[in-house]
């Protein structure tokens, strides 16, 4: 008998905490991300902004890049992206363009978050007008919240208390046992058409190049 969705969410978030600890050991900030499909991890990453001297190397962006090498966007519509902290605006745009169907995180980010601040993850109009963006995913927050808080506190107690006091990486109204769920939006007609086209395109096999054609290419 397989694990329940709640048990899977907790296991994946625990892995995000492990990745965040790896990031700290490498001199990075404690961010970790995992992408799972059918309960199996297909990509994972931690922040590399310090090591790579590249501000775009957020854990979620790296994980998405790896996931797109392992699965098509039509498959990622069934995938879940896990992060110990709510994805920022940049990461949220990437999540929407990758068509990820579900996003799960622990800590909210009221000043930078792609759901709580900028509403990128939940914006229905964005995908309706620009169909390269997938439908708004289901968004789940608060998973393993106490454990993630503890990991951040262990990283730097003074910095954590400052972040908590300023309300930067936690919701003042959040409760330790409360998991909040925002339902995914339905696909539009545009998205159904794109979805079918991509699936059909993957089935079309390339015809082998004949000897005469190959000769023409080489000449």
């Amino acid at each position: 008998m397989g694990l329940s969705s709640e048990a899977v969410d907790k296991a994946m978030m625990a892995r995000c905490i492990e990745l965040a600890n790896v990031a700290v050991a490498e001199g990075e900030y404690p961010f970790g991300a995992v992408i799972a499909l059918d309960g199996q991890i297909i990509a994972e990453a931690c922040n590399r902004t310090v090591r790579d001297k590249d501000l775009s190397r957020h854990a979620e962006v790296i994980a998405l890049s790896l996931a797109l090498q392992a699965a098509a966007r039509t498959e990622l519509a069934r995938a879940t992206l896990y992060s110990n902290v709510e994805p920022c605006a940049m990461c949220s745009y990437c999540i929407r363009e990758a068509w990820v169907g579900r996003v799960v995180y622990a800590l909210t980010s009221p000043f930078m978050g792609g759901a709580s601040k900028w509403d990128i993850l939940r914006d229905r109009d964005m995908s309706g007008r620009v169909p390269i963006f997938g439908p708004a995913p289901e968004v789940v927050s608060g998973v393993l919240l106490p454990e993630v808080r503890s990991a951040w506190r262990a990283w730097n107690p003074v910095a954590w208390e400052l972040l908590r006091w300023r309300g930067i990486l936690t919701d003042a109204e959040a409760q330790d046992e409360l998991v909040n769920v925002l339902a995914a939006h339905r696909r539009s007609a545009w998205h159904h058409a794109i979805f079918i086209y991509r699936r059909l395109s993957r089935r079309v096999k390339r015809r082998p190049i004949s000897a005469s054609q190959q000769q023409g290419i080489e000449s």
Side-chain angles (χ1 to χ4, degrees):
M1 185 175 178
L3 295 174
S4 66
S5 60
E6 181 181 355
V8 171
D9 286 350
K10 289 182 176 180
M12 296 301 171
M13 189 58 66
R15 179 56 183 160
C16 289
I17 295 173
E18 292 175 353
L19 291 167
N21 290 335
V22 170
V24 169
E26 296 292 334
E28 299 280 351
Y29 295 107
F31 295 97
V34 165
I35 297 177
L37 181 62
D38 298 328
Q40 300 295 317
I41 295 175
I42 61 171
E44 61 180 26
C46 53
N47 259 36
R48 295 193 61 93
T49 58
V50 176
R51 285 171 287 176
D52 294 350
K53 296 180 173 61
D54 184 345
L55 298 178
S56 69
R57 298 284 279 168
H58 287 198
E60 298 95 325
V61 172
I62 299 171
L64 284 167
S65 178
L66 295 172
L68 285 166
Q69 296 175 42
R73 285 203 284 181
T74 50
E75 294 175 298
L76 292 185
R78 297 186 290 108
T80 300
L81 182 144
Y82 297 88
S83 178
N84 58 330
V85 177
E86 178 184 353
C88 70
M90 176 185 72
C91 295
S92 296
Y93 274 114
C94 295
I95 290 167
R96 291 295 299 271
E97 191 165 353
W99 284 46
V100 172
R102 189 166 178 263
V103 177
V104 178
Y105 57 87
L107 287 168
T108 58
S109 180
F111 291 94
M112 299 174 286
S116 60
K117 173 64 175 180
W118 303 110
D119 198 34
I120 297 165
L121 290 177
R122 304 294 300 162
D123 189 337
R124 185 189 300 271
D125 194 47
M126 184 170 73
S127 57
R129 292 178 181 271
V130 188
I132 62 167
F133 294 111
E138 177 181 84
V139 176
V140 180
S141 59
V143 175
L144 292 190
L145 180 58
E147 291 85 347
V148 171
R149 282 174 173 165
S150 296
W152 270 78
R153 186 180 294 110
W155 160 66
N156 188 320
V158 175
W160 167 250
E161 288 303 321
L162 180 62
L163 291 168
R164 185 187 65 80
W165 177 64
R166 298 283 291 173
I168 294 172
L169 283 183
T170 186
D171 190 336
E173 298 179 356
Q175 300 176 26
D176 288 351
E177 301 301 322
L178 178 63
V179 173
N180 186 46
V181 180
L182 299 175
H185 292 171
R186 293 181 178 180
R187 293 176 189 157
S188 66
W190 271 107
H191 290 118
H192 280 294
I194 294 171
F195 203 89
I196 293 170
Y197 171 76
R198 284 179 177 158
R199 280 194 167 178
L200 291 175
S201 297
R202 292 185 65 199
R203 295 177 184 175
V204 177
K205 296 182 179 179
R206 294 183 179 179
R207 291 187 302 171
I209 300 176
S210 66
S212 58
Q213 287 176 314
Q214 182 67 34
Q215 199 170 28
I217 292 171
E218 293 174 349
S219 59

